[in-house]
Amino acid sequence: MSTTAKDTKALENPGTQLITGNQSFHSVTEKISGIVEAKVSPYWYLAITISSLLALVFFGSIGYLVWEGIGIWGVNIPVGWGFAIINFVFWVGIGHAGTLISAILFLMRQRWRTSINRFAEAMTLFAITCALIFPGIHVGRLWVAYWMFPVPNQMGMWPNFRSPLLWDVFAVSTYFTASLLFWYTGLIPDFATLRDRAKTKWRKIIMGILALGWRGGNRQWKHYELAYLILAGISTPLVLSVHSVVSTDFAVSLVPGWHTTIFPPYFVAGAIFSGFAMVMTLGILARKIFGLEHFITVNHLDKMSKIMLVTGMMVGYAYMMEFFIAWYSGNEYEIFTFLNRAFGPYAWAYWTMITCNVLVPQLFWFKKIRNSISALFVISILINVGMWFERFVIVVTSLSRDFLPANWDYYRPTFWDIATFVGSFGLFLTLFLLFVRFVPIISMAEVKGVLPQADPHHASEEQIKNENHAR
Amino acid sequence: MRIMQDKDNREIYILAEFGSAASLYQAAEKMRDTGQYNFDCHSPFPIHGMDAAMGLKRSPLGWIAGLCATFGALGGVALQWYASTIAYPLVISGKPFFSFQAYLPVTFALGVLMAAGASLFGMLGLNRLPQFHHPLFHSERFKRVTDDSFFISAVAANADEGEKLQRFLESIGGRNLEVLKD
């Protein structure tokens, strides 16, 4: 029996197992529900205090922005797009790994995704929440942000559907909604588990409502699995389209350094790259804090590192290609822009980006690095720094020195730029900490499904023993 | 398959527990082969191949999502056509009012949006969820269905059939039988 042979092999070599530590269905439930049901650790309170204070800084800065106007930011002419757009592209990019893990890896039958998809999807939702705020506030008069939506108004005015900025509105809000529905679909069976384990009245009511009366019947699973498959199927092109649309905001312009056809694939690769780095950062913290080493194994981290290695090299290729095309085009503005990027006043940002995004990920070639938790943690943070600088380089260097030298100006962020950016991490982390407190951070139903004993043709332990004996 | 009820017009459910995914699968095949019971198999996770073992047809959800996606995409085209040719025609770089190439991203996004909504809400509709009350919830043992236990629930028309059903479930390996009424 091939299945039995595979199981035996898995028992002999724990490295090939998706979930280690000889888990049973019940131990999975106990471990993961336990995180939500246990008493909150003081560290959680400490963490949420810090992050919610940061979130207050975020909302405070936005409040001051509304009061005073975008003059409080460092934007100038010609750099009319500053931190707001950098942060928007950065946060949207962070979100992409969640959907990639939940959708593309699902369609490719990558069963290792089950341990990380839940919190990666949550990360997606919170990152898009942060992202959506930035284009909303950067318009200056954010109380008329509804002009972006195609709603009839008293001026008889409609948005311009030929503008990529309007595509953004649709692409990103669709992305948020589809991710939310996908996430909730995956949560229904796990909420049912929490409902059935609930001890207090309020817990029973709340989890009962969230679980919608799920009974785990196969007649339900049949529709459920197809719903999940369809959501994965439609989210897959969505991942690719959202960041392509974001990149189109730049690519349709005539600004040298922006006006390139490589932008859509380049942005998507960068988004997945940075998203995986964030999943890695959060995953390493979560497995450490909640003792999830058997679920988020070194094997999982190893696989994520490989994806980062690939996408990091795609990004590196794009950097190279931009230089090549600038030279090959013979367009002097284009050539200048790229020389200016590497050797101009923003060379420090450019080389930070190259170091963090191209050089550092090369360490992933070594298995020792891929399996070292502390190295992965540091590298994942460096990659996120690098990817933020990538957006900074794209937005700022192209604008600060445009066609006419008389227009040139140096862009410097102000205190409020930095406060808003740092504060957005506060919002992100607050939402994430609330998530780990109240929602199972690993999909129990899916993890149980990849255990060897979940296979309907799984042999009993006795059979495995007999087979070993026969050898 | 008829829905069976007792003389007070209440459905009687017979619930049997099974030890593993494998034994549930084999029991489902035997239930299917009798061809006379309205039953369901409950498990903490979807079991691969269970639809065939129970003799279930494919879910029609694909059609629902597909129709909604088409509707969303067509709606997207209609919206953009209306806004840029009738309601607010603007000449931008001398392009035609209806320049469909530029309308693809929004069309796609609205198609996806409708399909996503249709798959979650369509799934809930087909499963008749939310349904907060069900006879199976009366069973204490059934709470473990979302943890590590496997069950078959079958509907019986009357007490006689209920007994027959219980004997059959026992013969195919069911344990801890329970009779549940609303």
Side-chain angles (χ1 to χ4, degrees), chain A residues 87-335:
Chain A
N87 297 340
F88 165 64
V89 183
F90 172 76
W91 278 118
V92 175
I94 295 287
H96 276 57
T99 324
L100 181 95
I101 290 167
S102 54
I104 297 182
L105 296 186
F106 178 78
L107 293 184
M108 294 186 176
R109 304 283 184 270
Q110 294 293 312
R111 282 151 45 112
W112 59 274
R113 66 181 268 288
T114 53
S115 295
I116 50 175
N117 71 330
R118 171 69 47 74
F119 75 85
E121 285 169 40
M123 183 197 78
T124 296
L125 291 175
F126 307 146
I128 306 174
T129 307
C130 292
L132 277 170
I133 291 174
F134 284 102
I137 59 174
H138 98 301
V139 292
R141 291 189 289 158
L142 64 93
W143 49 95
V144 290
Y146 71 93
W147 285 359
M148 291 185 291
F149 299 99
V151 285
N153 55 40
Q154 78 281 11
M155 295 169 290
M157 199 182 64
W158 287 79
N160 171 20
F161 282 101
R162 295 185 195 83
S163 162
L165 293 170
L166 186 69
W167 304 349
D168 260 356
V169 174
F170 281 86
V172 182
S173 52
T174 296
Y175 187 41
F176 182 82
T177 317
S179 304
L180 183 69
L181 295 177
F182 200 6
W183 189 61
Y184 185 66
T185 305
L187 272 168
I188 293 172
D190 282 5
F191 278 137
T193 305
L194 291 181
R195 170 199 68 199
D196 290 344
R197 290 167 57 92
K199 299 275 186 290
T200 61
K201 187 183 162 201
W202 277 107
R203 217 182 156 72
K204 276 181 189 162
I205 293 174
I206 293 168
M207 291 303 164
I209 291 171
L210 289 170
L212 304 172
W214 181 259
R215 293 189 301 279
N218 194 58
R219 288 169 197 273
Q220 293 184 329
W221 281 121
K222 181 182 76 169
H223 299 303
Y224 175 91
E225 280 198 287
L226 189 59
Y228 204 83
L229 181 69
I230 294 169
L231 281 164
I234 57 176
S235 301
T236 298
L238 197 58
V239 180
L240 306 179
S241 79
V242 172
H243 228 59
S244 299
V245 165
V246 169
S247 78
T248 320
D249 295 344
F250 299 92
V252 298
S253 74
L254 294 174
V255 178
W258 287 3
H259 188 56
T260 54
T261 47
I262 203 175
F263 262 33
Y266 158 41
F267 268 47
V268 172
I272 291 164
F273 184 51
S274 65
F276 264 94
M278 192 60 107
V279 173
M280 181 82 100
T281 314
L282 296 173
I284 288 174
L285 286 176
R287 82 197 278 275
K288 184 87 199 139
I289 295 168
F290 300 114
L292 292 171
E293 282 86 354
H294 289 312
F295 294 90
I296 306 171
T297 61
V298 174
N299 189 11
H300 288 109
L301 300 177
D302 186 82
K303 288 189 163 87
M304 285 197 273
S305 316
K306 286 176 184 165
I307 292 186
M308 280 194 267
L309 179 60
V310 172
T311 47
M313 288 201 294
M314 284 158 85
V315 168
Y317 171 80
Y319 297 157
M320 232 167 56
M321 227 0 99
E322 280 190 312
F323 269 85
F324 171 74
I325 293 295
W327 168 76
Y328 190 69
S329 70
N331 180 322
E332 60 181 302
Y333 298 105
E334 195 78 15
I335 294 170

Side-chain angles (χ1 to χ4, degrees), chain A residues 26 29 162 196 218-219 223, chain B residues 39 41 43 59 96-97 146-147:
Chain A
H26 185 63
T29 318
R162 295 185 195 83
D196 290 344
N218 194 58
R219 288 169 197 273
H223 299 303
Chain B
F39 74 104
C41 298
S43 54
S59 166
F97 290 136
T146 53
D147 179 5

Side-chain angles (χ1 to χ4, degrees), chain B residues 1 4 31-38 155 161 164:
Chain B
M1 211 169 278
M4 303 171 187
M31 287 290 278
R32 173 197 66 193
D33 291 343
T34 63
Q36 51 179 316
Y37 299 119
N38 179 10
V155 190
E161 198 175 300
K164 209 179 103 197

